[in-house]
Amino acid sequence: VFAPARNDVFKKLALCTLVFIAFAACSSHESAMEPQASGGDAAVNVDDNNYSPSSTAVVPGASVTWKWRGANLHSVTFDDGGASSVQRTGDYKRTFQNAGSFAYHCSIHGLAMSGTITVR
Ligand SMILES: [Cu+2]
């Protein structure tokens, strides 16, 4: 009497498991497309006229150091207020304590020269 009902339950369980596996595979694929947060500090090159890499992910408490390598004047100017000098050479270091997305750009070249630090 219970056999057909139990069989139905197994079918539904199997279907749920398949859906869950497909969803999990999809999610991990999407996160693999984003830059991975490394365990430590990170470095970004300031070139003429771009940041390399333009997207960097770090964990809370990590520092990012920008290194000027181009011949022209550039800055690292954050939307939230922090900024380097406008300079041709040298470094700029910022430590990120809180999770979030931090957009920055060059005050000389505007949004054509921009980048993002993701803290997570
Ligand atoms: Cu610039």
Side-chain angles (χ1 to χ4, degrees), residues 21-76:
I21 289 170
F23 181 75
C26 240
S27 307
S28 67
H29 178 70
E30 275 175 24
S31 63
M33 302 291 284
E34 295 176 15
Q36 295 298 299
S38 65
D41 296 345
V44 175
N45 292 318
V46 181
D47 295 324
D48 298 327
N49 294 330
N50 63 282
Y51 303 103
S52 177
S54 60
S55 293
T56 300
V58 295
V59 296
S63 297
V64 178
T65 301
W66 285 261
K67 300 170 189 250
W68 273 247
R69 303 196 311 176
N72 300 324
L73 287 167
H74 302 290
S75 78
V76 170

Side-chain angles (χ1 to χ4, degrees), residues 3-120:
R6 192 180 295 148
N7 206 21
D8 254 19
V9 168
F10 279 128
K11 276 183 189 164
K12 280 175 186 163
L13 270 177
L15 186 63
C16 279
T17 306
L18 279 176
V19 168
F20 178 77
I21 289 170
F23 181 75
C26 240
S27 307
S28 67
H29 178 70
E30 275 175 24
S31 63
M33 302 291 284
E34 295 176 15
Q36 295 298 299
S38 65
D41 296 345
V44 175
N45 292 318
V46 181
D47 295 324
D48 298 327
N49 294 330
N50 63 282
Y51 303 103
S52 177
S54 60
S55 293
T56 300
V58 295
V59 296
S63 297
V64 178
T65 301
W66 285 261
K67 300 170 189 250
W68 273 247
R69 303 196 311 176
N72 300 324
L73 287 167
H74 302 290
S75 78
V76 170
T77 303
F78 281 90
D79 290 0
D80 72 357
S84 74
S85 306
V86 176
Q87 57 194 38
R88 276 180 217 283
T89 59
D91 292 353
Y92 170 69
K93 186 176 186 178
R94 178 173 171 177
T95 302
F96 296 87
Q97 299 295 356
N98 301 316
S101 184
F102 301 87
Y104 63 93
H105 63 276
C106 173
S107 64
I108 303 281
H109 298 103
L111 289 179
M113 183 173 176
S114 59
T116 306
I117 303 297
T118 304
V119 184
R120 61 174 168 245

